[in-house]
Amino acid sequence: AQSVTQLDSQVPVFEEAPVELRCNYSSSVSVYLFWYVQYPNQGLQLLLKYLSGSTLVESINGFEAEFNKSQTSFHLRKPSVHISDTAEYFCAVRAFSGGYNKLIFGAGTRLAVHP
Amino acid sequence: DGGITQSPKYLFRKEGQNVTLSCEQNLNHDAMYWYRQDPGQGLRLIYYSQIVNDFQKGDIAEGYSVSREKKESFPLTVTSAQKNPTAFYLCASRPGTGLEAFFGQGTRLTVV
């Protein structure tokens, strides 16, 4: 069965510092991976996705993630964070079984950016 | 504007009462999902539906029920059998050929 592990429940960081949010997955089939961001009391917004092709994917607001098949990882990085990046981040993998398609989420990582 | 609408945003109910959470989408998406979110546990799948009149149990379906009579609507009923219903509930949809899900703004249910 597919699963997702986010290794850090909370990541505190100072503004303008780099950050890495870690995600490992297990999947025995073709891998499709996603990072979502959630601001307080809101739904989830797609940040970036890996479907195929280049293993490095980027978002419009400076985040990037690299698909590493040998390490079964999809870590999210940003070279310089802003206060506005404070949010909860979820890694997800597509699961496909019995003819049904669904997303399996990790437990989330709360990113707190301090001035 | 196209999107997913969950209503209400906040909901309070007395213990023992059934309550129905609304989820409507005008994106013409085939698949719809209900997730429950609790602090430190991420999102757990309650029910999902690939097409109209078809739905499947997710990982934590006990104490919940759904219907999918129309493509745009996927209401979730939290029954009195659900032992710990207080949570943040998220509805999502996905186009038939797409891989990513789109989320509503959520409903925070508090049972007292």
Side-chain angles (χ1 to χ4, degrees), chain B:
Chain B
D1 287 317
I4 304 171
T5 301
Q6 290 187 243
S7 60
K9 189 169 178 65
Y10 299 96
L11 189 56
F12 294 87
R13 278 294 183 271
K14 290 185 178 180
E15 193 172 338
Q17 290 181 333
N18 290 358
V19 60
T20 297
L21 281 60
S22 170
C23 179
E24 303 278 332
Q25 54 101 358
N26 60 4
L27 300 168
N28 199 34
H29 288 175
D30 292 309
M32 296 187 75
Y33 307 81
W34 274 106
Y35 289 90
R36 170 183 171 136
Q37 185 177 15
D38 297 282
Q41 295 194 53
L43 278 70
R44 293 182 290 168
L45 184 63
I46 305 173
Y47 267 99
Y48 56 105
S49 169
Q50 199 111 310
I51 56 173
V52 174
N53 292 323
D54 175 75
F55 49 83
Q56 300 295 317
K57 291 182 179 180
D59 302 316
I60 56 164
E62 187 175 350
Y64 299 98
S65 66
V66 293
S67 62
R68 187 83 187 279
E69 297 176 2
K70 299 185 294 182
K71 190 176 185 179
E72 59 270 23
S73 179
F74 191 41
L76 173 74
T77 297
V78 185
T79 74
S80 57
Q82 168 51 233
K83 298 305 178 189
N84 186 19
T86 294
F88 190 51
Y89 291 87
L90 286 160
C91 179
S93 69
R94 181 183 58 79
T97 57
L99 293 167
E100 68 191 73
F102 296 80
F103 283 81
Q105 293 298 294
T107 292
R108 186 167 297 281
L109 172 65
T110 302
V111 175
V112 296

Side-chain angles (χ1 to χ4, degrees), chain A residues 1 6 43 78 93 100:
Chain A
Q6 291 184 243
K78 189 170 184 179
V93 64
Y100 292 93

Side-chain angles (χ1 to χ4, degrees), chain A residues 14-66:
Chain A
F14 286 110
E15 194 173 18
E16 298 183 5
V19 71
E20 178 180 81
L21 308 184
R22 296 179 293 170
C23 172
N24 286 92
Y25 67 90
S26 68
S27 176
S28 58
V29 295
S30 298
V31 177
Y32 303 100
L33 295 157
F34 307 84
W35 275 101
Y36 283 84
V37 59
Q38 183 183 35
Y39 299 100
N41 291 312
Q42 293 189 25
L44 274 67
Q45 303 171 35
L46 181 69
L47 192 58
L48 45 75
K49 60 187 175 185
Y50 170 78
L51 305 180
S52 65
S54 173
T55 57
L56 185 66
V57 291
E58 299 176 350
S59 72
I60 57 173
N61 57 354
F63 283 96
E64 64 180 31
E66 184 162 20

